[in-house]
Amino acid sequence: MQSVEVQARTVDEAVRIALQRLGRSYEEVDVEVLRPGTPGVLGIGAEDALVRVTTRPGAVRPTIPAQPYYPGPAVQNQGYRPQGQPPIGQPIPNARPVQPIGQPIPPAIPNGTPIGVPLGAPVPAAIARGAGNARAFDANELANIGREVVTNLLRRMRIQARPQVEFMPPEPDENGEEDNQSPLVTINLIGGDLGVLIGRRGEALTDLQYVFNLIMNKKTRTWGRVMIDVEGYRTRRKANLVNLAHRMADQVMATRQPITLEPMPAHERRLVHIALLDHPYIRSESFGEGDERKVTIFPK
Amino acid sequence: MKDLILYMAQSLVDDPGAVQVRQIEGTHSVIIKLAVAPDDMGKVIGKQGKIAKAMRTLLAVTAAREGKRATLEIQS
């Protein structure tokens, strides 16, 4: 059992930082509010909130190793095996074949090679002009343009961060096919004090990604192929969501009652659906509109 | 803050030359006034104000670092 105490401007913020520090999701911890904190008036008389976050004894699980996305056989640990069901290695009745992931990545560059043009380098005129050009951009070009755009945004936000480019293996979509919509490149922003770029429930990061996508779309006519991350937040969130999905699936199987998760943005719902895709006894579906759209997990 | 809005607006519209940004500075607050070509209004507002909302979030993050509150006004 681990426990941390965190002080921050608000209770939400403190809990978020604590979860980040423990690498746990909200469902796996107990939160004690030691001091609720007050916002004060225009920052006068403000008092920070203080919380103690403790992992639940039952929630002990193997830590998910921070997996470098490239190129590893990864995904193996997403293959779901319900307890008491056929041991690993034996075919599960009705299971879909798992799409091999972590296959050689198409164009790109040998791993570890420094990437492309230096930041200050001029962007080819055709790209700078943006619009109109229908030609396809490869992962390397997208990485360079993306880094340029995100650097321009951050400089004007007075935020110092180092963009670190990672190339992603192709992911399966909801039908298990290779997905030509999923991100090819992640730009992970590294630096001190970048919590503001994530925001409450990742809202600031979502909006940064949205503006970034719009600008990228204008320049390259692509959408969503470059993902922005902050200090690996999305990677951690992904591991937590996959874990949550599997635990909720266990619970649904045990009780035969559907469970509805809290509202999540599209890419997070997608992660839950994909995590449960190969599950022989469970299906998942999303309901609701807009910000209220939620995943429900059913017994099959 | 002005330069952030200017950069975002000019990157999103079809007529970057028509983008105008003014910044009105107070002690605790900042008002940013953005004007774009009439045909480009949708490009900075978005469906149900989605783009404007995202720009406001990034503006708020930036302003908070200077201890200020910022308002983005889009002028028609």
Side-chain angles (χ1 to χ4, degrees), chain A residues 68-253:
Chain A
Y69 264 108
Y70 189 88
V75 178
Q76 221 38 357
N77 56 15
Q78 285 183 19
Y80 184 84
R81 302 289 180 273
Q83 287 125 358
Q85 293 301 320
I88 294 180
Q90 294 199 4
I92 295 180
N94 305 328
R96 270 169 211 281
V98 176
Q99 182 81 8
I101 303 186
Q103 294 280 313
I105 316 284
I109 331 167
N111 203 9
T113 315
I115 294 147
V117 256
L119 261 188
V123 178
I127 297 168
R129 219 180 329 108
N133 44 19
R135 78 185 184 82
F137 289 83
D138 68 23
N140 202 14
E141 290 171 302
L142 288 174
N144 284 322
I145 301 166
R147 196 162 48 172
E148 176 96 13
V149 170
V150 82
T151 305
N152 275 323
L153 280 169
L154 292 184
R155 187 189 309 135
R156 288 165 178 82
M157 294 176 74
R158 315 279 184 271
I159 290 178
Q160 299 214 341
R162 198 159 41 84
Q164 207 173 62
V165 173
E166 293 157 30
F167 290 89
M168 322 265 292
E171 282 186 53
D173 64 12
E174 276 157 51
N175 303 315
E177 308 284 318
E178 186 183 308
D179 182 357
N180 59 9
Q181 305 294 313
S182 68
L184 291 171
V185 177
T186 297
I187 299 180
N188 192 12
L189 303 171
I190 308 289
D193 196 27
L194 292 185
V196 288
L197 270 187
I198 300 172
R200 200 164 50 90
R201 275 180 165 213
E203 196 201 13
L205 179 55
T206 303
D207 284 344
L208 172 64
Q209 178 84 58
Y210 185 59
V211 169
F212 174 84
N213 282 352
L214 290 166
I215 298 176
M216 287 300 281
N217 177 254
K218 188 92 177 157
K219 288 186 189 297
T220 67
R221 301 279 146 210
T222 61
W223 184 266
R225 314 242 47 193
V226 180
M227 173 115 86
I228 306 285
D229 201 353
V230 175
E231 298 274 5
Y233 169 81
R234 287 190 202 270
T235 313
R236 284 193 306 272
R237 178 89 181 132
K238 179 177 179 177
N240 283 337
L241 279 173
V242 169
N243 202 269
L244 172 74
H246 288 168
R247 270 181 301 113
M248 290 301 120
D250 282 341
Q251 206 170 317
V252 170
M253 282 207 303

